[in-house]
Amino acid sequence: MMMFVRYSGNIGNGSWDAVQCEYVLPAELRPPVEVNAMVCVSNGQTSRMLVVNPNGTIRCANMGAAGSNQGCVGSLCYPIP
């Protein structure tokens, strides 16, 4: 079984701004280690990461530099043991 997580939205334009999903994954759908993937930003200038933690939290964050408040889309997939 695989878990698929998708993010689409905006973040503040600060270098390290992040948003966290209000929903926390139930224990049976959580990854055993942190899983992350790059997110595509519409202006193509800023690196973003989509992160799913072993505690079930999901967040998307700017990764330094100039930041961007442009819309972004990203997804990741991981196996459920």
Side-chain angles (χ1 to χ4, degrees):
M1 189 161 107
M2 298 291 284
M3 179 66 178
F4 178 80
V5 177
R6 181 179 184 272
Y7 176 80
S8 178
N10 295 341
I11 298 177
N13 63 356
S15 296
W16 299 101
D17 284 359
V19 293
Q20 184 163 317
C21 181
E22 297 174 7
Y23 178 77
V24 176
L25 293 172
E28 62 273 10
L29 298 178
R30 296 176 184 175
V33 297
E34 180 183 287
V35 179
N36 57 60
M38 291 300 295
V39 175
C40 294
V41 181
S42 62
N43 67 4
Q45 297 176 341
T46 303
S47 297
R48 284 203 182 137
M49 295 292 289
L50 176 60
V51 180
V52 179
N53 292 298
N55 66 3
T57 58
I58 303 168
R59 69 185 199 105
C60 187
N62 286 333
M63 300 304 291
S68 172
N69 63 356
Q70 297 288 315
C72 64
V73 176
S75 61
L76 59 79
C77 191
Y78 59 89
I80 303 289

